[in-house]
Amino acid sequence: MEGAKFFHYKTKQTVLHKIPPQAKLALMVILALTSFALPAEACLAAYPALIIVSVALLGLTPAEAFSDNKPTIAYAVLLYAATAVMNAVSGAGFPEMLVPDGTYVPLLSRLALSLETTSIFYRTTSTGQFREGFASIERKLTGKKATPASDTLALALSFIPRIATFWSRIETAWKARGGADSIAKLTTLVPRFLQVSLREGYEKSLAIQNRQL
């Protein structure tokens, strides 16, 4: 499902879609940073509330609402694996070595809430709106009509969902050929993924240079 891809804009006519780009940029930064200042209990309560709002009021599917928190899941798995290894090295037996470390819960809850907050703005703000918001701010700060920094930022932001699209496509091709989830999958797909991403990054850099000429 293309619409469930990581941090992709979804065309709708909700209240958040209609907020001026400058205001959305300010809210996105403020709310994302505020997530890291909240108690873990508040984050754990606010996260499902944001999911409900995303689905009920912003027209997202549950898959879209959850998909942008994949980095949190990956980070949690990494921390868990590291904890298990450290427990084993320190002499913990089985199954004690597999007991998760609860000290990571506050960090993960804040990261999840921050990502979900950012996701909501990404899902409701197009690349053009991001550029418009950045350009308006840049003009006020510099007093000039040209907005080279805004062009660069907008292209950089649009690159984030493209990265997820690249991986999804090569992973789909791998599975279509009967490939399984294994070490071979990573050793085969990661080099290809890096190649495509670097090429896209190079083409984006050329686009930025052309805009600034």
Side-chain angles (χ1 to χ4, degrees):
M1 255 172 58
E2 189 70 22
K5 297 297 188 300
F6 187 73
F7 272 58
H8 270 54
Y9 171 68
K10 185 166 184 177
T11 304
K12 289 283 183 179
Q13 290 298 320
T14 68
V15 173
L16 194 55
H17 279 79
K18 298 176 182 178
I19 293 178
Q22 304 93 313
K24 283 201 277 190
L25 283 172
L27 284 172
M28 181 175 70
V29 173
I30 292 171
L31 294 177
L33 292 177
T34 300
S35 300
F36 288 97
L38 295 175
E41 295 80 4
C43 293
L44 291 172
Y47 177 72
L50 278 183
I51 296 292
I52 294 172
V53 169
S54 299
V55 174
L57 300 182
L58 301 180
L60 303 184
T61 66
E64 289 168 340
F66 282 109
S67 66
D68 294 341
N69 248 302
K70 289 179 181 177
T72 304
I73 298 172
Y75 189 42
V77 171
L78 179 63
L79 288 176
Y80 178 74
T83 300
V85 171
M86 292 298 294
N87 288 342
V89 170
S90 63
F94 185 84
E96 289 80 9
M97 60 177 287
L98 300 180
V99 176
D101 188 345
T103 59
Y104 294 124
V105 172
L107 173 61
L108 292 173
S109 63
R110 291 172 182 132
L111 179 60
L113 182 60
S114 180
L115 271 175
E116 191 59 35
T117 301
T118 305
S119 166
I120 287 176
F121 286 98
Y122 252 95
R123 294 284 185 180
T124 58
T125 309
S126 67
T127 302
Q129 290 173 325
F130 271 125
R131 184 187 177 284
E132 180 185 341
F134 284 129
S136 176
I137 295 172
E138 186 175 359
R139 290 190 192 99
K140 290 178 181 178
L141 292 176
T142 64
K144 300 178 180 179
K145 292 184 177 181
T147 56
S150 300
D151 295 339
T152 302
L153 284 171
L155 285 170
L157 288 173
S158 68
F159 189 60
I160 295 174
R162 291 285 294 162
I163 289 290
T165 299
F166 299 153
W167 177 258
S168 177
R169 287 175 179 173
I170 62 175
E171 186 179 37
T172 299
W174 170 264
K175 291 180 179 179
R177 290 174 172 81
D181 292 330
S182 62
I183 297 297
K185 172 185 174 181
L186 294 178
T187 57
T188 303
L189 298 189
V190 169
R192 177 59 178 164
F193 171 71
L194 292 176
Q195 178 187 1
V196 173
S197 298
L198 288 173
R199 185 174 65 219
E200 177 74 5
Y202 174 69
E203 291 175 354
K204 290 287 187 184
S205 68
L206 291 179
I208 292 171
Q209 292 175 21
N210 290 333
R211 284 175 180 267
Q212 294 176 353
L213 290 177

